[in-house]
Amino acid sequence: MELTSTALLGIAAAAAVLASAAALWLWPRLARNRPWQVLGRLGLLITTQLAVLAVAGLTLNGAFGFYTSWDDLLQQDTRQLALAPTGAARGGPPAGDTLVRPGEDGGLSGVNDLPQGKPEEVGRVDSIRVSGKESGLSDQMFIYLPPEYFNPKYARERFPVLLTLAGYPGTPLHLLSELHTPQQVWDLQRTGRMAPTVVVMARPTVAAPRNTECVDVPGGPATETWFAKDLPAALRSAYRVSRSAQSWAVLGYSTGGSCALRLALRDPGSYGSAAALHAEYQVGADWSTGGDLFAGNQQLAQGYDLAWRLRSLPAPRTSLLIVSTRTEDDYPATQQFLAAAAPVSQAHPGFTVDSLFLPDGGHSFDTWRRELPASLEWIGDHLEPAPDREPRS
């Protein structure tokens, strides 16, 4: 039974109710101070509290996605990594000891509004577990393969890739259940507003429960390396996807949006464009990060300050979309970032920044759902077709 399944939560809730009822029924019978009665009362208290804590823990984990499976929680996966041969897994993730393996359900079976039909007609969403050789990190995520991926006519074609990132401490499932990302992508693709694209749905919290803000933390974890190097290398080893950075984009909301901007500005050789919904422009230091991620290294921290990079370093070849609302708390910081980016984009044609603003809306899924279709369409306009093809067998 999956760690994130509603069935497990239901069983835990039933156990908590039964434990509470048993405590109420047995307590009068254990009212005396004989040793076995004292031990009985103690046992009832411990059992009831553990049952209630289990319900609370499962509920919080389901909402925030700290752990997506029992293996993730218990860290029992010790298998070695190996690259898959080029062109493997033409119809899905490869089996065996590779960088991309079939993943835990992760709640996928509970999503009822995915595009319905045969893979060659509507595409397919798979749960996969991806492992990185350089960072040593591993995480469960979802991948949407468009219908053309299964069409023999496109057997030698490579596809552009969109990496989508949830917020902190969100789970990849939120990109399906709350934002309906595969459904939105499918609607754009079938109406010709987006080319056939492989969409990866992941979370920035690879080293759960710590929020590493997609940076390489001194001494680890190397989260930027994971997203900039390991994830593209793993996906290219397992799927027919482009090797060109201009055919890769990243989109995220909240912390995922901050990560998207950092990856596009710091790693343009991996991602050629990015869309950020309600992002922040500096790496925070609070309870979620465990304090200063850079351990006092100001030079390292400065390198992740996006406004400083625009002012002080050569502009990368990348396209950015900034999305927010005029009532959001981050609106002043967003305007400051756009003001810093404007002269850079005028001086460097390869660097462009666009922005979209709703008149109102908060830091919520309701707002992000309203912003996502236009953001995806913008991504579709900026993702270049894959210039490479599969070699003939």
Side-chain angles (χ1 to χ4, degrees):
M1 190 176 296
E2 290 290 336
L3 180 62
T4 56
S5 70
T6 54
L8 180 61
L9 179 59
I11 291 172
V17 171
L18 290 174
S20 301
L24 291 172
W25 184 64
L26 292 173
W27 198 266
R29 293 165 174 76
L30 301 171
R32 296 184 181 180
N33 289 326
R34 294 175 182 174
W36 71 270
Q37 291 172 321
V38 173
L39 290 174
R41 293 199 300 272
L42 184 61
L44 286 175
L45 287 173
I46 292 174
T47 301
T48 303
Q49 290 180 1
L50 287 176
V52 171
L53 286 173
V55 173
L58 289 170
T59 301
L60 287 172
N61 188 66
F64 296 115
F66 294 115
Y67 302 99
T68 58
S69 69
W70 291 106
D71 281 346
D72 192 14
L73 174 64
L74 302 175
Q75 296 183 347
Q76 294 178 339
D77 192 349
T78 59
R79 285 177 285 185
Q80 302 251 336
L81 306 179
L83 282 171
T86 301
R90 294 177 183 274
D97 204 19
T98 60
L99 294 176
V100 180
R101 305 189 302 274
E104 307 85 5
D105 178 84
L108 180 61
S109 59
V111 181
N112 300 317
D113 58 346
L114 293 174
Q116 298 298 310
K118 299 178 180 178
E120 58 270 23
E121 295 174 350
V122 299
R124 190 178 74 198
V125 177
D126 291 329
S127 175
I128 57 175
R129 175 161 285 274
V130 180
S131 298
K133 297 197 76 169
E134 289 200 36
S135 68
L137 296 170
S138 175
D139 203 15
Q140 180 266 340
M141 58 191 67
F142 301 108
I143 187 167
Y144 170 74
L145 302 172
E148 288 80 3
Y149 194 90
F150 304 93
N151 189 332
K153 181 173 148 184
Y154 296 87
R156 293 187 57 220
E157 298 297 325
R158 295 185 184 272
F159 292 83
V161 178
L162 170 60
L163 168 65
T164 59
L165 295 173
Y168 174 85
T171 164
L173 187 63
H174 288 164
L175 291 157
L176 283 82
S177 62
E178 300 294 339
L179 293 189
H180 315 292
T181 305
Q183 299 92 314
Q184 300 273 12
V185 169
W186 162 237
D187 184 61
L188 290 172
Q189 291 184 4
R190 70 184 178 84
T191 54
R193 290 175 289 166
M194 189 175 190
T197 301
V198 171
V199 181
V200 181
M201 290 152 277
R203 59 177 179 171
T205 320
V206 186
R210 190 182 188 190
N211 178 15
T212 55
E213 294 272 3
C214 298
V215 309
D216 280 353
V217 180
T223 317
E224 181 182 7
T225 297
W226 159 256
F227 283 115
K229 297 181 180 179
D230 286 343
L231 184 57
L235 294 175
R236 285 169 179 146
S237 77
Y239 296 98
R240 301 195 319 274
V241 294
S242 176
R243 293 181 171 87
S244 168
Q246 299 308 311
S247 301
W248 283 64
V250 54
L251 175 151
Y253 64 86
S254 189
T255 299
S258 306
C259 291
L261 290 180
R262 292 187 192 111
L263 289 169
L265 285 172
R266 288 179 55 88
D267 303 283
S270 298
Y271 300 95
S273 56
L277 283 59
H278 300 236
E280 294 183 350
Y281 307 95
Q282 292 183 334
V283 176
D286 54 26
W287 64 269
S288 69
T289 61
D292 182 6
L293 288 169
F294 306 110
N297 187 329
Q298 294 302 312
Q299 184 176 3
L300 185 59
Q302 189 179 57
Y304 285 97
D305 184 328
L306 301 187
W308 177 87
R309 295 188 70 85
L310 291 178
R311 292 192 304 267
S312 309
L313 299 179
R317 184 194 170 196
T318 191
S319 298
L320 306 179
L321 173 66
I322 308 299
V323 183
S324 191
T325 68
R326 301 188 189 280
T327 56
E328 173 65 287
D329 290 342
D330 69 357
Y331 184 69
T334 298
Q335 291 301 305
Q336 292 174 10
F337 177 80
L338 291 173
V344 180
S345 61
Q346 292 172 3
H348 301 274
F351 176 77
T352 63
V353 181
D354 297 318
S355 60
L356 295 171
F357 293 96
L358 287 174
D360 57 32
H363 210 75
S364 67
F365 286 113
D366 178 64
T367 301
W368 298 325
R369 276 192 291 268
R370 291 189 288 153
E371 296 167 342
L372 184 62
S375 302
L376 287 172
E377 191 165 358
W378 182 93
I379 287 287
D381 290 339
H382 289 79
L383 265 179
E384 294 185 3
D388 44 358
R389 305 186 77 196
E390 280 283 287
R392 292 187 181 276
S393 305

